[in-house]
Amino acid sequence: MKHKFVFATNNAHKLEEVTAILGNRIELLSLKDIHCHTDIPETADTLEGNALLKAQYIYENYQMDCFADDTGLEVEALNGKPGVYSARYAGDAHNSEANMLKLIQDMEGKENRRAQFRTVISLILDENTYQFEGIIKGQIIEEKRGLSGFGYDPIFIPEGYHETFAELGDEIKNKISHRGRAIQQLIAFLKEQHNK
């Protein structure tokens, strides 16, 4: 029987991406599936803290095994910004277009374009908490390219590639992305637990 987990997100793109990466290994429930319509506060000042806040909220209120993630784009020339504020870099509206434009403006004239996407996953399984991290390094380009993906994908080129995440398409992105890497660690850990 497949183990059920709640993935604590309201982001349809994320849900789709994680479901694609997990395949049919586990049964994934969204917040909608468990009738959780609360906007879980992300008040921590680190990715680790936010991922944990979201997972704890679900575990405490629904008593179900769950995991949550928080992802940030960390740009070297901006001292790691937007980081934990990536989704609301241009304001609280979570507007990807506005966030990208602000980042492009903030990077104007900067020679160092190095950046990394970092995902932290907090898993709560049988009352124990575990964290997994996935990182992909790359660089920020000066204008948007590509139509797939979401968030900052059209302006981020991962190391070893010439295309942005938005040009590479979901299949390649899911194999190499920060979230993909964190999810692979999660899967490996769950397999290990299952075989104990």
Side-chain angles (χ1 to χ4, degrees), residues 6-104:
V6 176
F7 179 26
T9 186
N10 282 312
N11 184 323
H13 292 294
K14 266 190 197 180
L15 194 63
E16 214 173 279
E17 199 172 273
V18 170
T19 304
I21 297 166
L22 285 172
N24 57 8
R25 291 180 181 88
I26 64 178
E27 190 179 334
L28 208 53
L29 302 172
S30 67
L31 293 179
K32 208 159 126 191
D33 293 331
I34 61 166
H35 309 292
C36 172
H37 305 291
T38 311
D39 199 6
I40 304 168
E42 295 179 44
T43 50
D45 53 9
T46 63
L47 299 175
E48 288 82 357
N50 277 340
L52 187 57
L53 278 176
K54 289 187 276 188
Q56 282 173 333
Y57 180 90
I58 295 305
Y59 197 78
E60 284 162 16
N61 289 282
Y62 295 87
Q63 286 76 50
M64 295 178 81
D65 288 337
C66 60
F67 63 90
D69 82 319
D70 200 20
T71 294
L73 175 62
E74 300 169 337
V75 182
E76 259 185 36
L78 302 177
N79 300 317
K81 286 181 183 154
V84 74
Y85 302 107
S86 293
R88 46 193 188 279
Y89 192 44
D92 282 337
H94 291 246
N95 182 321
S96 294
E97 203 61 34
N99 289 336
M100 266 190 287
L101 288 175
K102 177 169 166 50
L103 185 61
I104 288 169

Side-chain angles (χ1 to χ4, degrees), residues 5-6 18 23 31 40 47 51 53 55 68 70 85 87 99 104 126 128 132 154 160 165 177 183 190-191 193 195:
F5 284 92
V6 176
V18 170
L31 293 179
I40 304 168
L47 299 175
L53 278 176
D70 200 20
Y85 302 107
N99 289 336
I104 288 169
D126 304 326
N128 295 311
F132 310 93
F165 264 164
S177 80
I183 290 285
L190 292 174
K191 273 186 181 162
Q193 295 298 303
N195 294 332

Side-chain angles (χ1 to χ4, degrees), residues 118-134:
R118 191 163 70 92
T119 290
V120 175
I121 291 177
S122 267
L123 166 72
I124 300 182
L125 176 64
D126 304 326
E127 294 182 21
N128 295 311
T129 305
Y130 308 90
Q131 282 198 320
F132 310 93
E133 179 187 71

Side-chain angles (χ1 to χ4, degrees), residues 88-168:
R88 46 193 188 279
Y89 192 44
D92 282 337
H94 291 246
N95 182 321
S96 294
E97 203 61 34
N99 289 336
M100 266 190 287
L101 288 175
K102 177 169 166 50
L103 185 61
I104 288 169
Q105 283 167 355
D106 290 352
M107 288 297 285
E108 230 166 78
K110 296 203 181 341
E111 274 180 39
N112 177 3
R113 316 259 336 155
R114 285 194 298 270
Q116 65 179 23
F117 268 118
R118 191 163 70 92
T119 290
V120 175
I121 291 177
S122 267
L123 166 72
I124 300 182
L125 176 64
D126 304 326
E127 294 182 21
N128 295 311
T129 305
Y130 308 90
Q131 282 198 320
F132 310 93
E133 179 187 71
I135 291 175
I136 179 126
K137 293 181 181 299
Q139 60 173 333
I140 302 297
I141 56 170
E142 291 172 14
E143 52 188 45
K144 297 187 315 180
R145 290 187 352 216
L147 299 170
S148 70
F150 63 99
Y152 295 91
D153 287 356
I155 59 170
F156 181 83
I157 295 182
E159 244 174 32
Y161 290 82
H162 300 289
E163 298 89 4
T164 66
F165 264 164
E167 291 174 305
L168 286 170

